Each structure stands twice: as structure tokens, then as C-alpha cells.
Amino acid sequence: MELLVGILTIPYYMYFGQFYKIIFYYLGISIYILLVIFHLLTSLINPGLPPKKYFLENFKMDQSDMQNYIICKQCKLVMDLNKGTEHCIDCNICVMGNDHHCQWTSKCVGKNNLMLFNIFLILLKTHFVYLFFSLLVICYIKLAK
């Protein structure tokens, strides 16, 4: 309902020369919606769990290649050092391309969701900057009256 009211008031703001207010209004809503979407995507997408061929019972290796692998004792998984596979203590799983365990998403950030996490951080910083400048404008308007 609020979206419909906002759309219907655009001609009013255009006529009275206050179109910038409606632009800032929809800009803030857009940034916030994108922030929530990318937070959900980061939280819900698989961080990079190794495929089944890396489990100890399915893994076939030569003794010459043994220097590139470590066996995880908790997961019974063969971790490939070249792919940056590490065991996460918080999730109790091994993650390929493990960057870190994020407390805000309650999930590891790995190979598959690293780009989404970076976009989420950029949107979060943008949202904070938007809020800061919005508060400055509100304070300026209140003091100017």
C-alpha cells in the first residue's frame, strides 16, 4: 500500500519541485531491499562443501600426490591444499576456499558464496553512508526552520 501511495505522489513532488525527496526515498528502500536479498543469498547458498569424491572411502590417490593432501580427522575427508580446503570449527565441516566463518550469516564464507558476501558488505557500507547523510539532511532541515 505504501508503495502505491509513493508512486501516486510522484507527480505532486515533480510539480512542486521536490522531486529529490522521492528519489532519496526510493533510493533508500532499494539499497535496503538489495541488502536483505544479498544477506539471504549469502546465508542460504552452499559455501563450497567438497564433492563426494573427496571423502576418504571414495578417494583414490597416488603416493606421489600425497604431499598436496591432508586427511581431516573430524570429517574423514581428504582436504586438497591447492584448493584452500579448511575445517571450520564452528560449523564442524570442511569448506573449499574457506575464507572465514561469519557470525552475521551463521555460515562459512567459502568458494561459492564469497562474491555474494562481498556484495553484501558493499551494500552494508552504502546503507550506512546513506543513513548518515540522511540524518545530516534531517538535522539541517530542522535547524534551518
Side-chain angles (χ1 to χ4, degrees):
M1 185 67 182
E2 291 176 3
L3 184 65
L4 181 63
V5 171
I7 291 172
L8 293 176
T9 57
I10 290 176
Y12 171 79
Y13 284 112
M14 288 177 68
Y15 180 74
F16 289 106
Q18 297 177 344
F19 190 61
Y20 66 91
K21 289 182 181 178
I22 202 79
I23 290 174
F24 287 124
Y25 175 74
Y26 285 113
L27 179 67
I29 289 176
S30 302
I31 291 171
Y32 182 72
I33 288 172
L34 285 172
L35 180 69
V36 170
I37 288 171
F38 276 95
H39 181 266
L40 286 174
L41 286 174
T42 304
S43 300
L44 297 176
I45 287 184
N46 174 7
L49 300 177
K52 290 184 179 183
K53 69 178 184 177
Y54 283 102
F55 285 99
L56 195 56
E57 62 267 4
N58 301 333
F59 194 73
K60 296 174 179 49
M61 73 175 113
D62 297 331
Q63 292 293 4
S64 62
D65 288 341
M66 193 61 181
Q67 65 205 21
N68 295 330
Y69 299 102
I70 295 177
I71 298 174
C72 178
K73 294 175 183 166
Q74 288 91 5
C75 299
K76 304 294 186 227
L77 183 84
V78 179
M79 295 190 295
D80 189 355
L81 298 176
N82 295 332
K83 294 188 179 181
T85 307
E86 292 180 18
H87 184 80
C88 177
I89 298 168
D90 298 319
C91 297
N92 200 23
I93 56 170
C94 290
V95 179
M96 295 177 76
N98 190 7
D99 189 51
H100 68 284
H101 181 85
C102 180
Q103 307 302 335
W104 301 103
T105 60
S106 299
K107 194 165 216 171
C108 287
V109 177
K111 175 182 80 167
N112 292 347
N113 63 354
L114 182 62
M115 183 182 69
L116 296 170
F117 181 74
N118 288 333
I119 293 172
F120 166 69
L121 289 179
I122 290 169
L123 285 169
L124 187 64
K125 291 175 186 176
T126 306
H127 187 66
F128 283 141
V129 168
Y130 173 81
L131 290 175
F132 177 74
F133 283 112
S134 296
L135 287 173
L136 283 179
V137 168
I138 289 171
C139 291
Y140 177 75
I141 289 172
K142 293 292 182 183
L143 291 175
K145 286 184 178 183

